[in-house]
Amino acid sequence: MIRPALALLLSAAPLAAHSPDDQTPHDQTGRIAVMSAFEPEWISLQADLEGAETQTINGTEFITGTLSGQEVVLFLSGVSMVNAAMTTQMALERFDIEAIVFSGIAGGVDPSLNIGDVVVAAEWGQWLETVMARQVGEAFELPGFLDSPFANEGMIFTRETTVASDRGAPERRFWFPADPALLEVAGRVAEETDLAACNADNACLTEPPQIRVGGNGVSGSSFMDNAQLRDWLAGTFEAQVVDMESAAVAQVAWANQVPFIAFRSLSDLAGGGEGENEMGVFMSLASENSATLVKAFLAEMP
């Protein structure tokens, strides 16, 4: 039953139809979306942007211009999976996006990698798409109507997610791929690009930074600083890096059939280092290395 006051309000103020075109005209220029999670990661990218123009859409700044010879739109995804998915879809709806390039930092999971290295993973999965299972005796058990393709870590059972798109019927999947052609370009650029080994405060890496193209990355809305979970991610998913956005962007790109690639520079070891997490010391260096590689990558793109 509708209360009289509410009925009067509804009759007096009919709802207006809304669409994206009500707020901002669609940008017709074909662009590459260059995303970062938060501000320190995109300062270097902005510094080299030519013809910069800024517009704000639903509280997010989108900066268009030319970077490394490519028409681009720069924006922050925001930290976390939901923010990343939301801003990616918003960019796709407001701009003519030909490819999505993510530049940012991450935690190193593969023990063979060191802080400052850059990983360009071939596919991304959401490790925190999970069931928190019931404990039965000494073990943990899923409900009979659920399953998991991966080994659990205690009560944590990672599951695939169902994604709808114009590809056909909704599809269950865990891994979302980077674009093979973009990975090929990244591989060529990696052989020719030198990365910094020291930050502005002269804090230097113990090993010269390397670039690794291929392999797996995982994402989840949890900052990773735990050695046990780090080992589980490395063993279960054969992951090299963990972050809080890339898999969400990869899923949105896959659903919209837009080429995607992510460059992630290691700011810390996700709990695998000695002492306190290293991100506060090496975030600026990692951010700069990722941006350096992305700018070289853009210059090499057709």
Side-chain angles (χ1 to χ4, degrees), residues 166-217:
D166 285 340
R167 298 170 184 268
E171 181 178 336
R172 286 187 66 192
R173 60 188 299 121
F174 179 78
W175 296 109
F176 294 91
D179 182 75
L182 298 184
L183 284 170
E184 184 179 345
V185 175
R188 295 199 304 268
V189 171
E191 296 176 355
E192 305 168 354
T193 304
D194 295 324
L195 301 178
C198 299
N199 64 17
D201 297 324
N202 290 321
C204 297
L205 304 172
T206 57
E207 300 287 341
Q210 61 176 308
I211 302 168
R212 185 176 296 180
V213 179
N216 300 335

Side-chain angles (χ1 to χ4, degrees), residues 2-15:
I2 299 179
R3 295 181 181 179
L6 178 58
L8 179 62
L9 177 63
L10 292 173
S11 63
L15 297 177

Side-chain angles (χ1 to χ4, degrees), residues 4 22 33 58 64 106 159 265 296:
D22 293 337
N58 198 27
T64 57
R159 303 188 70 236
S265 183

